[in-house]
Amino acid sequence: MSKKIAVLVTDLFEDVEYTDPAKALKEAGHELTTIDVEGGKTVKGKQGETTISIDKGIKEVKPEEFDALFLPGGFSPDILRANDDVVAFTKAFMDEKKPVMAICHGPQLLINADTLKGRDITGYKSIAVDLKNAGANFHDKEVVVCQNQLVTSRTPDDLPAFIRESLNVLS
């Protein structure tokens, strides 16, 4: 069954951490909506290889309009977590137990949403201490699925496992 997936993304996202999962999700029949603080603009990946047209601004969307949330890594999550509306949007998916898929630095938004206490998670090595300080149980593994809801991975090398488990959680 096709799901509507919100993608929180801004400039300096990790190119392949958006492009590979987005391609797989679309091929599986899911609909992606890209969301930034402001809609109608174009953002660029940190490798300079990918540009994304932003469909909606954060004030134009509500969490209840979507079935799942996808958080690509890179510097994008760190930039986005400075915006209270983006953090509240993220928190709503965790609170409602909707599927959330976050890779690399993506979990930084979950830290600010204060939704990780007691949750099993992984992420990029440099945020491991932040995840632990947020109350999460950090695991240095290619993919961690927590409560059949939260899918996390560490780096682009983990993309095959991240995509596989993301599709499983959405099915």
Side-chain angles (χ1 to χ4, degrees):
M1 186 163 127
S2 177
K3 304 271 197 253
K4 290 183 71 170
I5 302 171
V7 184
L8 287 174
V9 64
T10 194
D11 285 308
L12 300 175
F13 61 92
E14 184 61 54
D15 299 61
V16 71
E17 291 175 357
Y18 169 78
T19 56
D20 287 12
K23 180 176 185 268
L25 292 166
K26 288 175 185 174
E27 285 175 355
H30 302 297
E31 177 187 333
L32 276 60
T33 301
T34 53
I35 303 163
D36 194 350
V37 175
E38 294 177 27
K41 66 178 187 175
T42 301
V43 296
K44 190 173 209 155
K46 75 177 203 175
Q47 305 303 327
E49 300 166 2
T50 308
T51 57
I52 302 171
S53 294
I54 299 299
D55 299 315
K56 301 277 186 177
I58 193 66
K59 291 188 183 295
E60 300 173 73
V61 293
K62 292 180 174 52
E64 52 269 19
E65 297 170 351
F66 300 95
D67 303 306
L69 177 64
F70 169 37
L71 305 171
F75 295 117
S76 170
D78 192 36
I79 295 165
L80 287 170
R81 70 181 175 159
N83 183 286
D84 292 341
D85 293 324
V86 172
V87 172
F89 186 85
T90 302
K91 182 174 174 39
F93 284 85
M94 292 294 287
D95 289 349
E96 295 294 322
K97 304 282 190 249
K98 291 181 179 182
V100 174
M101 303 152 292
I103 186 166
C104 195
H105 285 78
Q108 287 179 309
L109 272 162
L110 304 173
I111 292 169
N112 280 54
D114 196 23
T115 58
L116 294 179
K117 287 180 183 62
R119 301 299 299 264
D120 292 310
I121 198 165
T122 194
Y124 193 68
K125 182 168 97 172
S126 67
I127 66 168
V129 170
D130 302 319
L131 292 166
K132 291 174 190 174
N133 288 341
N137 304 312
F138 181 80
H139 304 275
D140 186 14
K141 295 169 48 176
E142 68 177 358
V143 66
V144 173
V145 180
C146 182
Q147 299 173 5
N148 199 36
Q149 180 229 351
L150 177 61
V151 179
T152 53
S153 284
R154 303 169 299 190
T155 71
D157 292 342
D158 300 334
L159 278 166
F162 178 72
I163 291 168
R164 180 190 70 236
E165 295 306 324
S166 294
L167 291 171
N168 284 343
V169 165
L170 292 169
S171 63

